[in-house]
Amino acid sequence: MGCEIPKATMPSFTLSDGATLAYGDSGGDDWTIVLIHGWQADRRVWEDVIAALGSGVRVIAVDLRGSGASSEAGGPYTLERYAQDTRELIDGLEIAPAVVAGHSMGATVALRLAVDAPQSVRAMVLVAPVPASGGGYSPKGEAYLRSTAGDPAKVQAWLARTFAAEPDEATLAPLCAAAALTARDTALESFESWAHADFAEETRTIRTPVVVAAPEKDAPESVDERVAALLPNARFVVLPGCAHYAILERPGAIAELIREVCRQ
């Protein structure tokens, strides 16, 4: 994972409110896949998965508004707005319906998108998803996560805890760099939206095929009960030997799950 985002050469898309959304486009003539990153992250977290997918597929990896090369885009920074932005991007690129994969908060954005615009989504892969019923954190847990916003030292300590084993500097540094691009107020507004999400019952209406991938060391039983069990066409998978940042610890396995739903 590199640390610099070459804004000058990155494609961008102008949204209905005038904000500009940056995204990466791998090209390719086969399946089209849209990747959505999580909280205080950006599109670069998917680089290893994109590499594992190989040539031929077209991968659109988006920087959500307020993140990465889209960091200057104004709010609101909510699940609903992120989902609307993603729908506008999919429609604007004329790639609907697309296979959508999301990590953590990005998986919750994917769920919101599938509820609000089912015509835009052909299938989904949800990796370590935050449930549509919210994060379920204790007051102490919420306070800890809020405290990481805008604090480089706390961000680094928090991110190190999201791996099954202590990550090396080459893995952690780009994640910290991405978090540094997310303004504190942006991160806090976003946190309130996904941590207190309340649309779980609406996800029962999602009819597209879904793979729910829960890391072994990231409360998989809760993910099964609070996410997969609500989705009519979901397949639940436990990813062994990894924690919340499974997209970096098991990129090959996640790429294969994406290939599987593309073949359906």
Side-chain angles (χ1 to χ4, degrees):
M1 294 175 61
C3 292
E4 297 297 325
I5 301 178
K7 292 186 180 181
T9 59
M10 184 180 298
S12 63
F13 180 82
T14 301
L15 299 161
S16 59
D17 68 347
T20 299
L21 210 62
Y23 64 96
D25 188 343
S26 71
D29 299 323
D30 210 335
W31 313 306
T32 300
I33 303 155
V34 175
L35 304 178
I36 308 175
H37 64 77
W39 189 54
Q40 297 198 68
D42 63 28
R43 66 181 182 84
R44 293 170 295 171
V45 298
W46 291 102
E47 287 181 354
D48 292 345
V49 174
I50 294 170
L53 283 167
S55 61
V57 299
R58 184 182 183 188
V59 181
I60 307 295
V62 61
D63 280 342
L64 296 174
R65 66 169 61 214
S67 302
S70 304
S71 59
E72 296 179 3
Y77 307 107
T78 63
L79 294 175
E80 292 79 9
R81 184 70 236 196
Y82 293 149
Q84 181 178 334
D85 290 350
T86 307
R87 183 194 70 198
E88 290 186 25
L89 179 65
I90 289 172
D91 291 347
L93 296 179
E94 299 182 344
I95 57 175
V99 172
V100 178
H103 171 245
S104 190
M105 177 198 78
T108 323
V109 174
L111 286 168
R112 186 73 259 178
L113 173 65
V115 168
D116 294 344
Q119 71 281 359
S120 296
V121 182
R122 181 163 75 84
M124 294 190 293
V125 176
L126 310 178
V127 184
V130 176
S133 53
Y137 303 115
S138 67
K140 182 178 179 180
E142 286 202 8
Y144 172 74
L145 288 171
R146 287 193 191 96
S147 75
T148 67
D151 188 319
K154 288 186 177 180
V155 160
Q156 182 168 340
W158 160 60
L159 287 169
R161 293 172 57 182
T162 62
F163 290 80
E166 184 73 21
D168 58 26
E169 180 65 16
T171 299
L172 202 55
L175 297 179
C176 293
L181 291 171
T182 306
R184 173 178 168 78
D185 288 348
T186 299
L188 290 175
E189 182 178 346
S190 174
F191 177 81
E192 293 305 316
S193 180
W194 62 261
H196 300 134
D198 186 19
F199 66 100
E201 286 303 308
E202 293 178 74
T203 66
R204 295 183 187 274
T205 66
I206 296 172
R207 301 299 171 186
T208 57
V210 183
V211 174
V212 179
E216 180 184 23
K217 301 182 183 298
D218 193 34
E221 299 85 0
S222 176
V223 173
D224 189 12
E225 178 183 353
R226 300 179 62 204
V227 180
L230 304 181
L231 301 170
N233 294 314
R235 179 165 73 92
F236 178 70
V237 176
V238 175
L239 298 168
C242 59
H244 193 68
Y245 256 98
I247 55 175
L248 295 179
E249 294 183 292
R250 294 291 182 272
I254 291 166
E256 182 54 36
L257 292 175
I258 294 172
R259 289 191 201 97
E260 287 177 14
V261 298
C262 286
R263 296 186 191 110
Q264 294 181 358

